[in-house]
Every structure is written in C-alpha cells, then in structure tokens.
Amino acid sequence: MATPTELDFSSPGGAGDDNTPRKGTSKRTASETVTEEEETKKKKKKKNKLASPMSNRIWNEEDELSILKGLVDFRAKTGLESKIDWEAFYGFVRGSIHVKVSKDQVLNKTKKLKKKFLDHMEKINQGIDPHFTKSSDSEAFGFSMMIWGQNDAEYTNGAMDKTYRNKNEEEMFKKDEEVALIDNGAGKSDFDGKSPPLKAVVVDKITTKNGTAGKESDDDDDVLYAVRDAFETTMVSQGLSDYQKKLQLEKLMNLGTGKRRELSNEWKSLCVEELKLNIKKLRFSAKLAEAANDDKSSSSSSSIVVRVEIPISMSINIGEFSIPDLPLFFSMFLTIYLIAYFIVFRNWKPQIRPEASSCLISIFHGTPAVLLATRAVFSSSARSFASANTAAQNTVLDFSVAYFLTDLFHYIVFNPNDVLFIGHHLATLFVFLTCRFLVFHGACAILGLLILAEVTSACQNAWTLAGARKNDPESRLAVKVYDLLSPPFYAFYSIVRGVLGPLFFGKMVAFYARGGAHGVIPNWLWISWAIVVGTAITVSILWIWNLWIELFRQRKAKKIR
C-alpha cells in the first residue's frame, strides 16, 4: 500500500487536473479516496490530542529513567539473555514506576526510548551535538548507551543478531547447497570473476556413503555453526579478499570431525568467557552511572589524596587504600562506647556504667540516622519499596549495622541473660544485612522503618539515663528530669510506635503481598522482614502500655499518700 507521502508525489495535482466535467454523484479516484481518508485520520488524531491533553502524560522523566535503569539491572541480573522475558522484566521494574501501567505500556515505552536513542546516535554520527538541556536527558542517554549502544553495549545487538542468524541458518544452508558442491576439496564453482558473498559459501558437508548424500546430525550441524561463527568473527577483519575468505572457510568445513569439534568447543568456551566479562562490564557501568547520579551534586577535588565524603559515603581513601563504610562506622561506635565507659561515666556506679555507655552510642546513632535516612530516601528519584538501593541508602544501612553490632557486643558482654534485646538486635541485623548485601533492593522500606524507630531515640535515651540515676541519692536532678520527661516521652512514643509504625508497616506488607517486588525481593525474604518488624512493633506497644500503667499507678499512689 502506498504511503501518503508517495501519493502526494505521484499525484501532485490531485483530481483537479482532470478537465472532464463531473457530476455530484461521480465516483472518486482511488488516490483521492485514500488521500481523504488519511486527512480524516489526521484530523481525528489531532482532535483527540486536543480533547485529552493529559492522555500522553502517563510517563514522566523519572519513570523513563526507572525503565532504562531497570533494563540495565535486569540484563545484568539475568545474564544478558538475547531474548528478554518481558513478563519478568515488567514485574522487575513496575515497582519503580509512580503510576500503575500495563506490560504493553512498558514495552511500548521501551521501544520509544530506543527510537529516541537511535535518533540521537544518528545526529551524533552526522556530527551534530544533541545538546542535552536537562541532566535527566544526559542520564537517559547514558543508560541507553549501555543497552543499545554500538560500542559500550555491542553485545546486546550482537546477541540478538546471532539469534536471528541461528533461526534462519537451516534455510540459508539449503540455499548454499545450490551454489556449489564440494567433493573431497575439489569441486566446481560458478565463480565468474566476482567473489560471492561470504554467506554463500557452502558449509554443509556432503557424505557419499553407498553413493547417496546423507544429512549431518544435529551435533555436527552445531559444530559447523560454531566453526563458521568463529571464522566470521575473528578472520573477517584480517584484510583478506572475499575469495581468500571463501577458500579458507571451505578448508575449515572439510576438516576432520574431531578437529572441527575441538575448534568448536574452544570457541564456545571463549564466547562464555566473553559473555561473563560483558556481564561484569554492564554491572560496573550501572554502578558507575548510579554513583555519578548520586554524587552529581557533591563537589570533589582531584588534588586531595586523603578524602572524607559526607554524607553520601563515609569512606576514607588513603592513596590507593580505601576503608569501607561498615568497618569505619563500627570503629567509630566502638570508640565512642569505650570513651563513654572509661571517661564520660567513670564516676558512675559500675552497675549502670555499661547501660549509660550504651545510651550514649544510641544518641550518636539515633538522630543522625533519622537525618541521613531521610536525605537518602528523598534524594533518590525512585522511592518505591522495591527500588534498587542507592549509594547513599547503603551508607545509612552500614551506619545502622555498625551501631547494632556494637550494642549487641555490649549486651553479650554485660547482659548475656537479656535474651529479648539480644534477639531484637540479631533480627534487626538480619533485615539490614539482607537488604544491603543480598537483594540490593528495598532500602526505602527499611529506612522508612528506621526513621520511625529512631525518631524517638534522643528523648528515650535522655529518659533512660535519667532513670538510671534516679535511685541515686546524690542525683536529685535525675529524678526531676525523669518525672518531667516521662509523660511527653510516653505520648510521643505511643503515637510513633502505636499509630504511624503500624500504618507504614501495613502499607509495606500490602505492597509486597501484591507482588510489587516480584523478581527483586524473594517472597521468603519480605515475609521474614514482615515477621521481624511486626514482632518488634508488637513488643514496643506492649512495653509502652506497661509504662503507662506504671505511671498511672505511681500517681494514684502519690494521691493516696
């Protein structure tokens, strides 16, 4: 069928060029009918756009970045399969998209993003600078380059081309047999002065048992395919003429079965190694782009050898040696604990010095953790419960893991019989560590819970320290502070742990139960998280409930006196 453009060129004058008089009921020409139909379609399309201007605004820039980044992560996770499982990818990425979309919508958007990237590449190849005006555009182009680029992601297109080639190999071989037959290396070729294309070289081996030609087995065909693929990949760029290439390929096809199989196996091994290397490159590229995205607002100096980056990363680089976040934070909390125990609280009674030291490291963890977690969550463009962890979010997880490890050692050394707190710390570490080092997703959910858990930390630790000294006759101030803080602390704690915590927890569980993290966080893991968090919230509610009862009991006793 001719396109509207072709019709315009072929009949520029239209029906008006015909000098024959027409009646109102005369038949229209085919070209006129098609042209009018196209004009009608254009008008309807334009009318629909004017009638619903928001219909095309389903996607925003953050969603497009989420799809591109999700495609990079998905290919790295699935091993760069040549054919993408779009059903699995849809489950993988939909949690990062701010609106509810179908699988077909995700697929169509991916196709449009690819077309947009190819248009940019065409301009670049023509020497035209695309001039990205937004940082999101440059980020999208970087992710697209990883997926569809000819240089940085050549293997993605190569894998697809190879799949297409293998799919049509049998048909190609049948055509090859019609070009020439090889019999023990001597045969006739219809060479007419021009070397035939390399694809036209016969690669099917002819057997002559009992005077009849037989077919190679499937295994032999696979060996032939592999040898031919190795030749085309490695020898085509060696500067040989087409005729020389044809002769060399014919010789390879007539090698003994054992030699061909040896070459085939070695080539397959090299392809596997190359695929593994490409997967590593892709994962590194994704990390590199993510780090550049997270650190784009921070300034750095190339002349500084010893560097501390706050708060995106607390790593310290000394020359070529780097101290990871987790050991650094653990050393910090352990140092604070020892200073508290041996210096700050050295005049306190030995029975309460460990608890006071534990409270001090909790103060250094609680409020900073709330601030860091809030910044890490809201600085990320993807804030779904299934979103990939950012570098800033991983830093906060390391920060909290280091604190809970330090406090766990405190309980093991000084309060080994406090099974409740030891179990609480172990369960909390399980949640943090699996999110940080096992699935690399879900930090938004975990950090949201951390914010709710630690927002009461400063008030609770001051109340705890005052309670530890209230029975000391020399510290009347501690009694006053304890009595003054108890009601507001109880109320604040009750609202956070009794209302906001359960609401957030319910939203998180509902998201995971609907399959929002399918393909990213296993069911057994998010169910384990739900059990740990649900148990912690329940115990917290019971604890504050008992404190309220004790408070009213004490006040009632004072009134009676």
Side-chain angles (χ1 to χ4, degrees):
M1 181 183 290
T3 63
T5 304
E6 291 171 343
L7 288 170
D8 290 339
F9 279 111
S10 62
S11 56
D17 293 341
D18 191 356
N19 296 324
T20 304
R22 301 181 182 213
K23 295 182 180 180
T25 58
S26 62
K27 294 183 180 180
R28 299 175 181 176
T29 64
S31 61
E32 181 182 358
T33 303
V34 174
T35 304
E36 289 188 3
E37 288 179 356
E38 294 294 339
E39 290 295 331
T40 304
K41 289 180 181 179
K42 289 180 179 179
K43 289 180 180 179
K44 287 183 178 180
K45 187 174 181 182
K46 186 175 181 180
K47 184 177 180 181
N48 291 335
K49 287 183 177 180
L50 292 173
S52 56
M54 293 303 292
S55 60
N56 293 328
R57 294 303 301 166
I58 297 176
W59 304 92
N60 58 28
E61 296 172 355
E62 292 183 358
D63 292 334
E64 292 180 353
L65 285 176
S66 297
I67 287 180
L68 293 172
K69 183 178 178 183
L71 192 55
V72 171
D73 292 340
F74 183 77
R75 280 190 172 275
K77 190 179 183 68
T78 57
L80 294 176
E81 296 177 359
S82 59
K83 185 177 180 181
I84 296 178
D85 184 351
W86 288 104
E87 189 71 36
F89 174 70
Y90 172 65
F92 180 84
V93 78
R94 65 179 177 178
S96 303
I97 302 173
H98 83 289
V99 294
K100 187 175 181 180
V101 293
S102 66
K103 182 184 72 174
D104 291 336
Q105 287 175 311
V106 172
L107 179 57
N108 291 334
K109 172 53 68 172
T110 305
K111 291 179 179 178
K112 291 180 180 178
L113 291 172
K114 181 178 180 179
K115 184 179 183 303
K116 183 178 179 181
F117 167 73
L118 295 178
D119 291 341
H120 281 309
M121 289 301 299
E122 185 177 353
K123 292 180 180 178
I124 292 173
N125 291 334
Q126 295 173 357
I128 303 174
D129 191 346
H131 293 298
F132 298 116
T133 57
K134 299 179 181 178
S135 61
S136 59
D137 291 339
S138 61
E139 290 178 42
F141 183 79
F143 285 123
S144 299
M145 179 64 76
M146 297 179 204
I147 303 167
W148 302 301
Q150 293 296 325
N151 295 325
D152 294 331
E154 183 177 357
Y155 49 86
T156 56
N157 291 330
M160 295 173 69
D161 293 341
K162 188 177 291 185
T163 302
Y164 176 79
R165 184 174 68 243
N166 292 339
K167 185 177 182 181
N168 295 281
E169 200 77 44
E170 184 177 352
E171 181 180 354
M172 183 181 65
F173 284 174
K174 290 180 180 179
K175 294 181 180 179
D176 290 340
E177 292 180 13
E178 298 176 0
V179 177
L181 294 177
I182 297 175
D183 187 7
N184 297 326
K188 292 183 179 182
S189 173
D190 294 332
F191 179 69
D192 56 356
K194 293 183 180 180
S195 179
L198 190 59
K199 295 288 185 182
V201 179
V202 176
V203 294
D204 186 42
K205 186 173 177 65
I206 306 300
T207 60
T208 57
K209 185 177 181 180
N210 297 326
T212 60
K215 292 185 178 181
E216 292 289 333
S217 65
D218 292 340
D219 290 341
D220 289 341
D221 286 343
D222 181 69
V223 170
L224 289 172
Y225 299 159
V227 173
R228 176 173 179 162
D229 183 66
F231 178 82
E232 292 180 354
T233 303
T234 59
M235 300 297 294
V236 166
S237 60
Q238 297 299 316
L240 302 176
S241 67
D242 288 341
Y243 185 69
Q244 289 173 321
K245 296 171 189 174
K246 173 180 175 294
L247 291 179
Q248 290 194 8
L249 183 56
E250 287 176 353
K251 291 179 181 179
L252 287 174
M253 294 301 102
N254 285 288
L255 291 174
T257 304
K259 185 63 175 179
R260 286 204 312 267
R261 190 174 299 277
E262 179 185 348
L263 292 172
S264 171
N265 292 337
E266 186 172 353
W267 175 247
K268 290 178 181 178
S269 299
L270 288 173
C271 289
V272 171
E273 294 299 324
E274 182 182 15
L275 180 61
K276 291 179 180 179
L277 178 61
N278 287 333
I279 292 172
K280 292 180 180 179
K281 286 182 178 179
L282 183 56
R283 288 174 176 167
F284 176 75
S285 298
K287 290 181 180 179
L288 196 65
E290 182 177 326
N293 183 34
D294 290 334
D295 295 340
K296 62 185 179 182
S297 60
S298 62
S299 59
S300 60
S301 175
S302 59
S303 61
I304 299 178
V305 178
V306 181
R307 180 173 72 255
V308 179
E309 301 174 358
I310 301 176
I312 294 298
S313 176
M314 295 292 289
S315 302
I316 294 181
N317 298 330
I318 304 176
E320 296 295 328
F321 180 72
S322 176
I323 304 176
D325 290 340
L326 185 55
L328 178 65
F329 290 138
F330 179 75
S331 301
M332 181 188 76
F333 283 115
L334 183 60
T335 302
I336 294 172
Y337 185 91
L338 294 176
I339 291 174
Y341 187 86
F342 291 105
I343 299 176
V344 178
F345 303 115
R346 66 181 184 276
N347 295 325
W348 288 34
K349 293 181 179 180
Q351 296 84 353
I352 60 176
R353 281 172 65 189
E355 183 179 2
S357 302
S358 175
C359 286
L360 189 62
I361 63 170
S362 181
I363 291 174
F364 275 88
H365 168 258
T367 302
V370 171
L371 298 176
L372 292 173
T374 302
R375 181 187 184 280
V377 170
F378 287 99
S379 64
S380 174
S381 58
R383 292 191 286 271
S384 165
F385 290 157
S387 299
N389 302 351
T390 65
Q393 292 166 359
N394 284 335
T395 298
V396 182
L397 290 173
D398 288 340
F399 183 74
S400 293
V401 167
Y403 160 72
F404 280 104
L405 280 174
T406 307
D407 208 41
L408 178 62
F409 288 149
H410 152 76
Y411 278 101
I412 292 175
V413 173
F414 293 103
N415 299 297
N417 296 325
D418 197 339
V419 180
L420 182 62
F421 269 92
I422 292 176
H424 168 269
H425 282 27
L426 288 173
T428 303
L429 286 170
F430 165 78
V431 173
F432 286 151
L433 291 173
T434 52
C435 175
R436 172 70 174 89
F437 297 105
L438 182 62
V439 294
F440 311 104
H441 288 73
C444 286
I446 303 305
L447 294 184
L449 293 168
L450 177 67
I451 292 170
L452 292 174
E454 297 297 338
V455 71
T456 60
S457 174
C459 186
Q460 182 177 352
N461 283 298
W463 173 82
T464 303
L465 288 172
R469 294 292 304 272
K470 70 176 183 177
N471 295 324
D472 189 346
E474 299 179 358
S475 181
R476 297 180 180 179
L477 179 61
V479 178
K480 293 181 180 180
V481 171
Y482 183 85
D483 292 338
L484 183 64
L485 284 178
S486 291
F489 164 62
Y490 293 173
F492 185 29
Y493 192 94
S494 299
I495 293 173
V496 174
R497 298 294 182 97
V499 180
L500 300 181
L503 287 175
F504 186 90
F505 172 70
K507 184 178 180 181
M508 181 189 80
V509 172
F511 175 84
Y512 290 141
R514 289 194 305 266
H518 176 70
V520 177
I521 302 175
N523 289 336
W524 69 266
L525 185 59
W526 73 258
I527 291 174
S528 300
W529 290 356
I531 293 174
V532 170
V533 176
T535 303
I537 291 176
T538 302
V539 172
S540 297
I541 293 174
L542 293 176
W543 180 71
I544 196 65
W545 177 260
N546 289 332
L547 289 177
W548 277 114
I549 293 175
E550 183 65 23
L551 178 64
F552 287 125
R553 185 179 298 167
Q554 291 176 357
R555 295 198 171 184
K556 186 176 181 180
K558 288 181 179 180
K559 289 181 179 180
I560 295 175
R561 293 177 184 177

